[in-house]
Amino acid sequence: MPSKSRIVAEVDFEKNGRQQGFLRLFHSVHSSAYGFIPLPIVVLKNGDGPTALLVSGTHGDEYEGQVALSNLVKSLDPARIHGRVIILPAANYPAAMAGLRTSPIDQGNLNRLFPGDANGTVTQQIAYYIEEELIPMADIVCDLHSGGSSLMYVPSALYGGWERGGSEKALAALKAFGAPVAYVSAAGPGGNLTLSGGAARKGVIALGTEAGGSGHVTRAALRMVERGVNNVLVHQGILPDSARIVPDGPTRFLEVGGPDYFVYAPDSGLFEPLVELGEMVRAGQPAARMHWPETPWAEPVTAHFAHDGFVLCKRMPGRATRGDCLFHLGTDVEV
Ligand code: CA
C-alpha cells in the first residue's frame, strides 16, 4: 500500500476557471519549525477534456521553460481552453530559487529521484507528488529542460520513449510541437529515474525539450518552447486549431543512440573544442583537446568522436574534469 504524499495543494484541480497558489511541502528547520516550502502551481480548467501537465524548473538552472511557463500563466485564458492545464513552473523550487541544477537543501537532482518517496527528503517528496498526484491526472506531460549551466543544446524537443518501440501518440505530439530539431532516444542518462520515466510508469505520454542552456535564455530558444507548448495544447484539443502557430520550417528528426554518441573529457584541464554545435562529424574525428596552461609545454590529450553525427550538445565551461560530457551527437532518423 503506497504512502500518501505529505504535500498539500492550495488549489482544487477539479474547479473550473483559474486557480493559483502553492503546493505546501512542510519542512521543519531551525528558522521555521512549522513552515512549508511553497511550490507555485497554476490550474486552468474549462469543463471536461484532456489535461496537459506543463513542468519546468525540474533542474533549477534551466531557465527557458521557467520563463515560457511564467509567460503562459499570464497569457492563457481559461475561457479559451477545453479541458485543463496544470502548470508547475518551478518543480524543484529550492533549486530554481538558487539557480542550481540540484536542491541546496538535500542536493537532490529531481530528475534522478523518481518515483520519489512520500516520506523522503524534500526532493524525493516532490518527485513522489509529481508521479503519484500530478501525472495520473494528465493525458500528456511536457517537461521543459535545457542544457543548464554546463551544457548548451541546439534548441530541440525530444521524446525519450524510443526504446519501447515508440508511442504513435507521443511521436504525433512531438511532430505537432514544431521544433526545428527534435530527437528521440532510449532512456537518457537518467534512465527510469526521470519525470518522463514516471510518466511511462503511469502510461502517460511525455515530451521534453533541451531548449538551449548555458545558464541563459535566448530569444530563439524561448520562441521554440513557447510555440511548441502552444502547438501541443492545440494538438491535444485543449486550444482551438486557430491558435496553432506555424513553425518556421520542417522538423529535423534525430536519434540519440547508444553511449558512443557521447564524448567525455579524457583528462582534467582546459577544454579546447574542435567543432561547434550544428556541425556534422565523422567517427574518429578529433572532438576536443585538453590543455594544461600551468604546464603549457605538455602535449594536449585529444578526445575523438566514436560515431558519425550531428553535434547536438556541447559543454560550455572551459575547465573540464575527466569524465565530464563534452559533446553528444544525434543521427538523422525517420519517425
Ligand atoms: Ca535538464
Side-chain angles (χ1 to χ4, degrees), residues 6-15 18-26 35-43 86 88 129 134 137:
R6 300 168 62 224
I7 294 176
V8 176
E10 293 180 0
V11 292
D12 178 349
F13 294 97
E14 302 306 324
K15 201 168 155 186
R18 169 191 296 269
Q19 293 181 78
Q20 55 203 28
F22 301 98
L23 302 175
R24 298 182 173 190
L25 195 172
F26 290 92
F36 63 84
I37 297 171
L39 279 67
I41 189 164
V42 178
V43 181
I86 301 171
L88 188 67
Y129 187 85
L134 296 182
M137 287 192 268

mmCIF file of all heavy atoms in Angstrom, residues 6-15 18-26 35-43 86 88 129 134 137:
data_model
loop_
_atom_site.group_PDB
_atom_site.id
_atom_site.type_symbol
_atom_site.label_atom_id
_atom_site.label_comp_id
_atom_site.label_asym_id
_atom_site.label_seq_id
_atom_site.Cartn_x
_atom_site.Cartn_y
_atom_site.Cartn_z
ATOM 1 N N ARG A 6 2.710 13.826 1.521
ATOM 2 C CA ARG A 6 2.502 14.759 2.629
ATOM 3 C C ARG A 6 2.331 16.191 2.143
ATOM 4 O O ARG A 6 2.064 17.097 2.917
ATOM 5 C CB ARG A 6 3.687 14.656 3.599
ATOM 6 C CG ARG A 6 3.832 13.241 4.191
ATOM 7 C CD ARG A 6 5.165 13.071 4.901
ATOM 8 N NE ARG A 6 5.291 13.984 6.025
ATOM 9 C CZ ARG A 6 6.379 14.687 6.311
ATOM 10 N NH1 ARG A 6 7.450 14.569 5.552
ATOM 11 N NH2 ARG A 6 6.412 15.488 7.336
ATOM 12 N N ILE A 7 2.517 16.405 0.836
ATOM 13 C CA ILE A 7 2.362 17.749 0.259
ATOM 14 C C ILE A 7 0.873 18.091 0.161
ATOM 15 O O ILE A 7 0.066 17.255 -0.241
ATOM 16 C CB ILE A 7 3.042 17.819 -1.120
ATOM 17 C CG1 ILE A 7 4.561 17.657 -0.947
ATOM 18 C CG2 ILE A 7 2.692 19.105 -1.843
ATOM 19 C CD1 ILE A 7 5.344 17.619 -2.248
ATOM 20 N N VAL A 8 0.536 19.324 0.529
ATOM 21 C CA VAL A 8 -0.856 19.777 0.498
ATOM 22 C C VAL A 8 -1.003 20.860 -0.572
ATOM 23 O O VAL A 8 -0.261 21.848 -0.571
ATOM 24 C CB VAL A 8 -1.275 20.345 1.872
ATOM 25 C CG1 VAL A 8 -2.691 20.917 1.812
ATOM 26 C CG2 VAL A 8 -1.161 19.267 2.952
ATOM 27 N N ALA A 9 -1.955 20.675 -1.494
ATOM 28 C CA ALA A 9 -2.189 21.654 -2.562
ATOM 29 C C ALA A 9 -3.186 22.707 -2.105
ATOM 30 O O ALA A 9 -4.222 22.378 -1.522
ATOM 31 C CB ALA A 9 -2.719 20.951 -3.803
ATOM 32 N N GLU A 10 -2.876 23.975 -2.392
ATOM 33 C CA GLU A 10 -3.827 25.055 -2.101
ATOM 34 C C GLU A 10 -4.884 25.168 -3.202
ATOM 35 O O GLU A 10 -5.882 25.859 -3.022
ATOM 36 C CB GLU A 10 -3.080 26.391 -1.984
ATOM 37 C CG GLU A 10 -2.157 26.471 -0.775
ATOM 38 C CD GLU A 10 -1.427 27.804 -0.688
ATOM 39 O OE1 GLU A 10 -1.629 28.682 -1.562
ATOM 40 O OE2 GLU A 10 -0.625 27.959 0.254
ATOM 41 N N VAL A 11 -4.632 24.544 -4.342
ATOM 42 C CA VAL A 11 -5.567 24.651 -5.472
ATOM 43 C C VAL A 11 -6.454 23.402 -5.528
ATOM 44 O O VAL A 11 -6.066 22.330 -5.072
ATOM 45 C CB VAL A 11 -4.818 24.801 -6.813
ATOM 46 C CG1 VAL A 11 -4.117 26.148 -6.881
ATOM 47 C CG2 VAL A 11 -3.824 23.665 -7.027
ATOM 48 N N ASP A 12 -7.662 23.596 -6.110
ATOM 49 C CA ASP A 12 -8.590 22.480 -6.338
ATOM 50 C C ASP A 12 -8.501 22.124 -7.820
ATOM 51 O O ASP A 12 -8.865 22.927 -8.681
ATOM 52 C CB ASP A 12 -10.009 22.919 -5.956
ATOM 53 C CG ASP A 12 -11.048 21.829 -6.210
ATOM 54 O OD1 ASP A 12 -10.723 20.813 -6.867
ATOM 55 O OD2 ASP A 12 -12.202 22.012 -5.769
ATOM 56 N N PHE A 13 -8.018 20.924 -8.106
ATOM 57 C CA PHE A 13 -7.764 20.542 -9.500
ATOM 58 C C PHE A 13 -9.056 20.316 -10.291
ATOM 59 O O PHE A 13 -9.014 20.181 -11.501
ATOM 60 C CB PHE A 13 -6.881 19.288 -9.539
ATOM 61 C CG PHE A 13 -5.495 19.522 -9.012
ATOM 62 C CD1 PHE A 13 -5.162 19.212 -7.701
ATOM 63 C CD2 PHE A 13 -4.516 20.082 -9.831
ATOM 64 C CE1 PHE A 13 -3.886 19.444 -7.210
ATOM 65 C CE2 PHE A 13 -3.234 20.319 -9.355
ATOM 66 C CZ PHE A 13 -2.920 19.997 -8.030
ATOM 67 N N GLU A 14 -10.186 20.242 -9.591
ATOM 68 C CA GLU A 14 -11.447 19.942 -10.278
ATOM 69 C C GLU A 14 -12.297 21.186 -10.541
ATOM 70 O O GLU A 14 -13.367 21.094 -11.138
ATOM 71 C CB GLU A 14 -12.262 18.937 -9.438
ATOM 72 C CG GLU A 14 -11.535 17.630 -9.157
ATOM 73 C CD GLU A 14 -11.025 16.944 -10.432
ATOM 74 O OE1 GLU A 14 -11.712 17.009 -11.479
ATOM 75 O OE2 GLU A 14 -9.921 16.359 -10.387
ATOM 76 N N LYS A 15 -11.845 22.332 -10.077
ATOM 77 C CA LYS A 15 -12.664 23.537 -10.167
ATOM 78 C C LYS A 15 -12.422 24.257 -11.495
ATOM 79 O O LYS A 15 -11.277 24.382 -11.935
ATOM 80 C CB LYS A 15 -12.264 24.457 -8.997
ATOM 81 C CG LYS A 15 -13.286 25.480 -8.613
ATOM 82 C CD LYS A 15 -12.874 26.109 -7.279
ATOM 83 C CE LYS A 15 -13.456 27.491 -7.150
ATOM 84 N NZ LYS A 15 -12.956 28.166 -5.946
ATOM 85 N N ARG A 18 -9.539 29.827 -13.275
ATOM 86 C CA ARG A 18 -8.105 29.921 -12.988
ATOM 87 C C ARG A 18 -7.884 29.848 -11.488
ATOM 88 O O ARG A 18 -8.544 30.534 -10.713
ATOM 89 C CB ARG A 18 -7.570 31.265 -13.493
ATOM 90 C CG ARG A 18 -6.142 31.583 -13.001
ATOM 91 C CD ARG A 18 -5.766 33.022 -13.290
ATOM 92 N NE ARG A 18 -5.736 33.230 -14.726
ATOM 93 C CZ ARG A 18 -4.635 33.062 -15.479
ATOM 94 N NH1 ARG A 18 -3.501 32.727 -14.923
ATOM 95 N NH2 ARG A 18 -4.696 33.262 -16.775
ATOM 96 N N GLN A 19 -6.962 29.012 -11.113
ATOM 97 C CA GLN A 19 -6.557 28.973 -9.710
ATOM 98 C C GLN A 19 -5.052 29.014 -9.628
ATOM 99 O O GLN A 19 -4.371 28.390 -10.432
ATOM 100 C CB GLN A 19 -7.010 27.678 -9.076
ATOM 101 C CG GLN A 19 -8.488 27.579 -8.962
ATOM 102 C CD GLN A 19 -8.750 26.270 -8.298
ATOM 103 O OE1 GLN A 19 -8.614 26.132 -7.088
ATOM 104 N NE2 GLN A 19 -9.034 25.295 -9.106
ATOM 105 N N GLN A 20 -4.554 29.719 -8.672
ATOM 106 C CA GLN A 20 -3.110 29.789 -8.486
ATOM 107 C C GLN A 20 -2.802 29.771 -6.994
ATOM 108 O O GLN A 20 -3.597 30.268 -6.197
ATOM 109 C CB GLN A 20 -2.543 31.040 -9.147
ATOM 110 C CG GLN A 20 -3.187 32.314 -8.682
ATOM 111 C CD GLN A 20 -3.051 33.440 -9.692
ATOM 112 O OE1 GLN A 20 -2.961 33.203 -10.895
ATOM 113 N NE2 GLN A 20 -3.021 34.655 -9.202
ATOM 114 N N GLY A 21 -1.719 29.185 -6.653
ATOM 115 C CA GLY A 21 -1.329 29.091 -5.253
ATOM 116 C C GLY A 21 -0.092 28.227 -5.140
ATOM 117 O O GLY A 21 0.728 28.200 -6.060
ATOM 118 N N PHE A 22 -0.024 27.511 -4.050
ATOM 119 C CA PHE A 22 1.216 26.778 -3.766
ATOM 120 C C PHE A 22 0.920 25.334 -3.362
ATOM 121 O O PHE A 22 -0.125 25.033 -2.790
ATOM 122 C CB PHE A 22 1.996 27.480 -2.649
ATOM 123 C CG PHE A 22 2.357 28.899 -3.016
ATOM 124 C CD1 PHE A 22 1.598 29.975 -2.577
ATOM 125 C CD2 PHE A 22 3.442 29.152 -3.857
ATOM 126 C CE1 PHE A 22 1.915 31.278 -2.948
ATOM 127 C CE2 PHE A 22 3.768 30.450 -4.235
ATOM 128 C CZ PHE A 22 3.000 31.513 -3.785
ATOM 129 N N LEU A 23 1.864 24.500 -3.679
ATOM 130 C CA LEU A 23 1.929 23.175 -3.067
ATOM 131 C C LEU A 23 2.749 23.363 -1.802
ATOM 132 O O LEU A 23 3.869 23.883 -1.854
ATOM 133 C CB LEU A 23 2.619 22.175 -4.000
ATOM 134 C CG LEU A 23 1.988 21.983 -5.382
ATOM 135 C CD1 LEU A 23 2.867 21.055 -6.228
ATOM 136 C CD2 LEU A 23 0.575 21.431 -5.261
ATOM 137 N N ARG A 24 2.172 22.972 -0.675
ATOM 138 C CA ARG A 24 2.862 23.178 0.613
ATOM 139 C C ARG A 24 3.640 21.928 0.979
ATOM 140 O O ARG A 24 3.050 20.893 1.279
ATOM 141 C CB ARG A 24 1.843 23.486 1.711
ATOM 142 C CG ARG A 24 1.062 24.753 1.453
ATOM 143 C CD ARG A 24 0.092 25.025 2.599
ATOM 144 N NE ARG A 24 -0.554 26.320 2.436
ATOM 145 C CZ ARG A 24 -1.286 26.902 3.363
ATOM 146 N NH1 ARG A 24 -1.481 26.296 4.528
ATOM 147 N NH2 ARG A 24 -1.820 28.079 3.136
ATOM 148 N N LEU A 25 4.958 22.087 0.952
ATOM 149 C CA LEU A 25 5.843 20.974 1.316
ATOM 150 C C LEU A 25 6.413 21.309 2.695
ATOM 151 O O LEU A 25 7.306 22.161 2.831
ATOM 152 C CB LEU A 25 6.953 20.832 0.256
ATOM 153 C CG LEU A 25 7.761 19.538 0.248
ATOM 154 C CD1 LEU A 25 8.660 19.500 -0.980
ATOM 155 C CD2 LEU A 25 8.592 19.312 1.487
ATOM 156 N N PHE A 26 5.847 20.684 3.701
ATOM 157 C CA PHE A 26 6.219 21.043 5.074
ATOM 158 C C PHE A 26 7.656 20.630 5.355
ATOM 159 O O PHE A 26 8.080 19.529 5.026
ATOM 160 C CB PHE A 26 5.216 20.440 6.063
ATOM 161 C CG PHE A 26 3.896 21.137 5.950
ATOM 162 C CD1 PHE A 26 2.908 20.652 5.104
ATOM 163 C CD2 PHE A 26 3.673 22.330 6.627
ATOM 164 C CE1 PHE A 26 1.712 21.332 4.956
ATOM 165 C CE2 PHE A 26 2.474 23.019 6.487
ATOM 166 C CZ PHE A 26 1.492 22.513 5.649
ATOM 167 N N GLY A 35 6.944 25.573 9.197
ATOM 168 C CA GLY A 35 6.777 26.202 7.885
ATOM 169 C C GLY A 35 6.718 25.220 6.735
ATOM 170 O O GLY A 35 6.933 24.019 6.888
ATOM 171 N N PHE A 36 6.407 25.777 5.555
ATOM 172 C CA PHE A 36 6.390 24.950 4.345
ATOM 173 C C PHE A 36 7.189 25.622 3.241
ATOM 174 O O PHE A 36 7.355 26.842 3.224
ATOM 175 C CB PHE A 36 4.953 24.646 3.889
ATOM 176 C CG PHE A 36 4.118 25.839 3.486
ATOM 177 C CD1 PHE A 36 4.201 26.376 2.200
ATOM 178 C CD2 PHE A 36 3.223 26.417 4.389
ATOM 179 C CE1 PHE A 36 3.411 27.464 1.828
ATOM 180 C CE2 PHE A 36 2.437 27.508 4.020
ATOM 181 C CZ PHE A 36 2.537 28.031 2.733
ATOM 182 N N ILE A 37 7.666 24.805 2.323
ATOM 183 C CA ILE A 37 8.307 25.277 1.099
ATOM 184 C C ILE A 37 7.190 25.474 0.082
ATOM 185 O O ILE A 37 6.422 24.541 -0.172
ATOM 186 C CB ILE A 37 9.346 24.247 0.605
ATOM 187 C CG1 ILE A 37 10.456 24.102 1.648
ATOM 188 C CG2 ILE A 37 9.896 24.634 -0.756
ATOM 189 C CD1 ILE A 37 11.420 22.959 1.365
ATOM 190 N N PRO A 38 7.070 26.689 -0.510
ATOM 191 C CA PRO A 38 5.929 26.977 -1.400
ATOM 192 C C PRO A 38 6.260 26.724 -2.877
ATOM 193 O O PRO A 38 6.926 27.526 -3.516
ATOM 194 C CB PRO A 38 5.678 28.471 -1.148
ATOM 195 C CG PRO A 38 7.052 29.022 -0.853
ATOM 196 C CD PRO A 38 7.870 27.903 -0.239
ATOM 197 N N LEU A 39 5.784 25.626 -3.436
ATOM 198 C CA LEU A 39 5.976 25.346 -4.861
ATOM 199 C C LEU A 39 4.803 25.954 -5.634
ATOM 200 O O LEU A 39 3.664 25.489 -5.483
ATOM 201 C CB LEU A 39 5.989 23.840 -5.127
ATOM 202 C CG LEU A 39 7.274 23.057 -4.863
ATOM 203 C CD1 LEU A 39 7.621 23.015 -3.392
ATOM 204 C CD2 LEU A 39 7.143 21.636 -5.406
ATOM 205 N N PRO A 40 5.058 26.971 -6.460
ATOM 206 C CA PRO A 40 3.937 27.606 -7.166
ATOM 207 C C PRO A 40 3.281 26.653 -8.161
ATOM 208 O O PRO A 40 3.961 25.881 -8.834
ATOM 209 C CB PRO A 40 4.588 28.789 -7.887
ATOM 210 C CG PRO A 40 6.037 28.418 -8.007
ATOM 211 C CD PRO A 40 6.353 27.566 -6.814
ATOM 212 N N ILE A 41 1.951 26.743 -8.241
ATOM 213 C CA ILE A 41 1.192 25.911 -9.180
ATOM 214 C C ILE A 41 -0.008 26.707 -9.683
ATOM 215 O O ILE A 41 -0.593 27.497 -8.930
ATOM 216 C CB ILE A 41 0.762 24.570 -8.527
ATOM 217 C CG1 ILE A 41 0.163 23.629 -9.578
ATOM 218 C CG2 ILE A 41 -0.181 24.803 -7.349
ATOM 219 C CD1 ILE A 41 0.076 22.175 -9.131
ATOM 220 N N VAL A 42 -0.325 26.526 -10.955
ATOM 221 C CA VAL A 42 -1.481 27.188 -11.564
ATOM 222 C C VAL A 42 -2.301 26.128 -12.277
ATOM 223 O O VAL A 42 -1.749 25.272 -12.970
ATOM 224 C CB VAL A 42 -1.035 28.289 -12.558
ATOM 225 C CG1 VAL A 42 -2.247 28.935 -13.224
ATOM 226 C CG2 VAL A 42 -0.192 29.335 -11.845
ATOM 227 N N VAL A 43 -3.615 26.184 -12.056
ATOM 228 C CA VAL A 43 -4.534 25.258 -12.722
ATOM 229 C C VAL A 43 -5.549 26.075 -13.505
ATOM 230 O O VAL A 43 -6.181 26.985 -12.958
ATOM 231 C CB VAL A 43 -5.265 24.358 -11.700
ATOM 232 C CG1 VAL A 43 -6.197 23.392 -12.421
ATOM 233 C CG2 VAL A 43 -4.276 23.613 -10.827
ATOM 234 N N ILE A 86 -2.334 22.152 -16.180
ATOM 235 C CA ILE A 86 -1.707 22.257 -14.857
ATOM 236 C C ILE A 86 -0.265 22.696 -15.086
ATOM 237 O O ILE A 86 0.474 22.042 -15.836
ATOM 238 C CB ILE A 86 -1.748 20.909 -14.113
ATOM 239 C CG1 ILE A 86 -3.195 20.432 -13.934
ATOM 240 C CG2 ILE A 86 -1.047 21.019 -12.754
ATOM 241 C CD1 ILE A 86 -3.317 19.001 -13.387
ATOM 242 N N LEU A 88 3.393 23.772 -13.486
ATOM 243 C CA LEU A 88 4.311 23.700 -12.343
ATOM 244 C C LEU A 88 5.653 24.272 -12.821
ATOM 245 O O LEU A 88 6.527 23.544 -13.286
ATOM 246 C CB LEU A 88 4.455 22.236 -11.908
ATOM 247 C CG LEU A 88 5.210 21.940 -10.620
ATOM 248 C CD1 LEU A 88 4.454 22.465 -9.405
ATOM 249 C CD2 LEU A 88 5.451 20.432 -10.478
ATOM 250 N N TYR A 129 5.184 13.396 -5.311
ATOM 251 C CA TYR A 129 3.936 14.133 -5.559
ATOM 252 C C TYR A 129 3.657 14.228 -7.061
ATOM 253 O O TYR A 129 2.527 14.022 -7.524
ATOM 254 C CB TYR A 129 4.001 15.537 -4.940
ATOM 255 C CG TYR A 129 2.690 16.266 -5.028
ATOM 256 C CD1 TYR A 129 1.701 16.092 -4.068
ATOM 257 C CD2 TYR A 129 2.411 17.114 -6.112
ATOM 258 C CE1 TYR A 129 0.482 16.737 -4.161
ATOM 259 C CE2 TYR A 129 1.188 17.757 -6.219
ATOM 260 C CZ TYR A 129 0.231 17.565 -5.239
ATOM 261 O OH TYR A 129 -0.991 18.196 -5.349
ATOM 262 N N LEU A 134 0.197 14.305 -9.682
ATOM 263 C CA LEU A 134 0.012 15.158 -10.873
ATOM 264 C C LEU A 134 -0.040 14.339 -12.166
ATOM 265 O O LEU A 134 -0.947 14.526 -12.974
ATOM 266 C CB LEU A 134 1.124 16.212 -10.954
ATOM 267 C CG LEU A 134 1.159 17.242 -9.816
ATOM 268 C CD1 LEU A 134 2.288 18.251 -10.042
ATOM 269 C CD2 LEU A 134 -0.183 17.978 -9.686
ATOM 270 N N MET A 137 -3.261 12.637 -13.347
ATOM 271 C CA MET A 137 -4.351 13.496 -13.825
ATOM 272 C C MET A 137 -4.170 13.863 -15.296
ATOM 273 O O MET A 137 -5.081 14.406 -15.917
ATOM 274 C CB MET A 137 -4.389 14.800 -13.004
ATOM 275 C CG MET A 137 -4.913 14.637 -11.602
ATOM 276 S SD MET A 137 -5.238 16.260 -10.858
ATOM 277 C CE MET A 137 -3.673 16.557 -10.045
#
